[in-house]
Amino acid sequence: MQDFNVFFHLGLPKVASTFLQQAIFPYLEDIEFHRKRKFNDYKNFDINALSSHHLFSSEYDRGMEDVVDDIVKRFPKAKFILLVRRQDKWILSRYKYYIRKHGWVKFKDFIDLENNQGLWRTEELQFRKKIEHIERVAETKPLVVNLDLLKSDSEAFFDRITTFLGSSLTAGAKKNVILNKSFNEKQLLILRRFNGAYKYEELRSTSKLRNKLHYKYRQFLLHIIAFLSKAIPRSLIKEKQLLEDPNVLDKVREYYKEDWEFCKMYSELEV
């Protein structure tokens, strides 16, 4: 077997993944980067034929453990990168993304801390379990990076990742680029109402092209509505707030306090 390393960046989603995939990872020295659409190519690699360093990147929250298990079966010494974000910030970002992708339920039905009957189960926001699963099945410890570091000390953020990869960034890296700017609250309120009135349904055609065009058309329509909504006076919108309970994010933060403290601690460890 040749001297090589295979790295897997597994997300989380809504934790700078697109930024890393487009602006940072392609500019790593001596690392062969496999973009998101080619993530599953790792399944076709011959572990005995590799002779260079490879980085695969995608985003997982649900189902991450199954992906890790499959990777470790093929690459027992695979090394994992996981970015984390405090749960209240993460679930709000996830909710906004849900609306952008045809969602319509209220936040109280998206995550339900009291009865655990929301679209997201409370255990799915326990990031410690994901970290400990990687520790348990892999022969290596994962690199866990706190997204807050990107804002407080961006150079330390990039250095933590490149040091783990044994690489450095070339001059082409776009460290300050902003990708996928989110819609504002007024746009999201209008989109949520539209999505509820005209619920999106998958085409489920035998033609992948038709399915893709159907999906892309709806996405294009949502972007048009979001753009036009800028001209609608806020006073005409019946719903005034995206979150019905103004204290709900505080409740989320308190609910996951211990879990987040573990994540922060782990993100400061040398790997």
Side-chain angles (χ1 to χ4, degrees):
M1 188 181 301
Q2 303 296 319
D3 180 25
F4 72 96
N5 282 308
V6 183
F7 301 92
F8 291 86
H9 164 245
L10 301 181
L12 298 166
K14 312 313 296 177
V15 190
S17 293
T18 302
F19 165 68
L20 290 172
Q21 290 161 353
Q22 296 185 17
I24 302 300
F25 289 162
Y27 304 98
L28 291 164
E29 291 187 345
D30 301 320
I31 298 282
E32 186 172 342
F33 174 54
H34 303 265
R35 297 180 180 275
K36 180 178 177 179
R37 65 178 181 274
K38 294 183 176 296
F39 181 83
N40 285 323
D41 284 358
Y42 78 84
K43 298 178 180 180
N44 302 319
F45 276 33
D46 179 359
I47 191 172
N48 296 305
L50 297 180
S51 59
S52 59
H53 304 309
H54 295 261
L55 170 62
F56 295 84
S57 178
S58 191
E59 305 98 52
Y60 293 93
D61 34 46
R62 293 166 169 161
M64 180 185 292
E65 291 83 354
D66 292 337
V67 175
V68 170
D69 290 348
D70 185 69
I71 290 171
V72 171
K73 285 180 183 178
R74 302 167 190 271
F75 300 100
K77 295 185 178 181
K79 299 182 179 181
F80 296 92
I81 302 173
L82 187 67
L83 271 72
V84 292
R85 187 178 189 182
R86 201 174 69 194
Q87 281 88 345
D88 56 317
K89 297 179 181 179
W90 185 80
I91 196 63
L92 177 60
S93 183
R94 208 74 176 89
Y95 181 60
K96 291 178 178 179
Y97 181 78
Y98 161 77
I99 294 173
R100 290 178 59 142
K101 298 296 181 180
H102 324 303
W104 70 88
V105 307
K106 300 293 182 67
F107 190 77
K108 64 182 179 63
D109 298 314
F110 190 70
I111 177 75
D112 175 13
L113 298 178
E114 294 183 2
N115 303 306
N116 200 17
Q117 296 297 316
L119 293 183
W120 279 86
R121 313 293 289 182
T122 56
E123 58 270 21
E124 293 177 316
L125 278 71
Q126 293 172 342
F127 302 150
R128 177 173 184 167
K129 289 184 176 181
K130 300 181 186 302
I131 296 170
E132 291 181 336
H133 182 83
I134 295 174
E135 275 193 325
R136 186 165 56 252
V137 302
E139 294 183 13
T140 58
K141 287 184 177 295
L143 173 70
V144 175
V145 185
N146 184 348
L147 183 64
D148 290 342
L149 187 60
L150 179 59
K151 294 183 178 180
S152 65
D153 189 345
S154 60
E155 288 304 317
F157 174 86
F158 297 123
D159 184 65
R160 185 158 174 77
I161 294 174
T162 55
T163 298
F164 181 73
L165 294 170
S167 180
S168 59
L169 291 173
T170 66
K174 306 175 183 66
K175 295 181 179 181
N176 299 315
V177 69
I178 298 176
L179 299 172
N180 292 347
K181 187 176 181 180
S182 62
F183 293 149
N184 61 37
E185 187 173 48
K186 182 175 72 170
Q187 291 172 306
L188 291 169
L189 284 168
I190 292 172
L191 287 180
R192 185 172 69 182
R193 189 174 183 86
F194 175 83
N195 291 337
Y198 304 98
K199 293 182 174 60
Y200 172 76
E201 294 183 4
E202 294 183 14
L203 187 59
R204 299 184 185 278
S205 168
T206 55
S207 168
K208 291 184 179 180
L209 178 60
R210 289 186 63 192
N211 289 332
K212 185 174 183 179
L213 290 175
H214 176 73
Y215 175 80
K216 290 293 185 181
Y217 166 75
R218 178 61 178 244
Q219 283 300 108
F220 176 73
L221 180 60
L222 292 185
H223 277 81
I224 292 297
I225 293 171
F227 175 77
L228 295 176
S229 70
K230 295 179 180 180
I232 300 175
R234 187 65 183 262
S235 59
L236 295 180
I237 302 175
K238 183 178 179 180
E239 295 174 301
K240 302 303 179 184
Q241 298 182 112
L242 193 64
L243 307 181
E244 312 91 297
D245 179 0
N247 300 314
V248 66
L249 294 181
D250 293 334
K251 295 174 183 177
V252 172
R253 182 165 61 250
E254 183 61 28
Y255 189 92
Y256 293 101
K257 183 178 179 179
E258 290 186 9
D259 191 275
W260 180 243
E261 288 300 319
F262 172 86
C263 292
K264 284 201 303 180
M265 177 276 295
Y266 204 102
S267 70
E268 295 170 358
L269 297 177
E270 294 295 329
V271 181

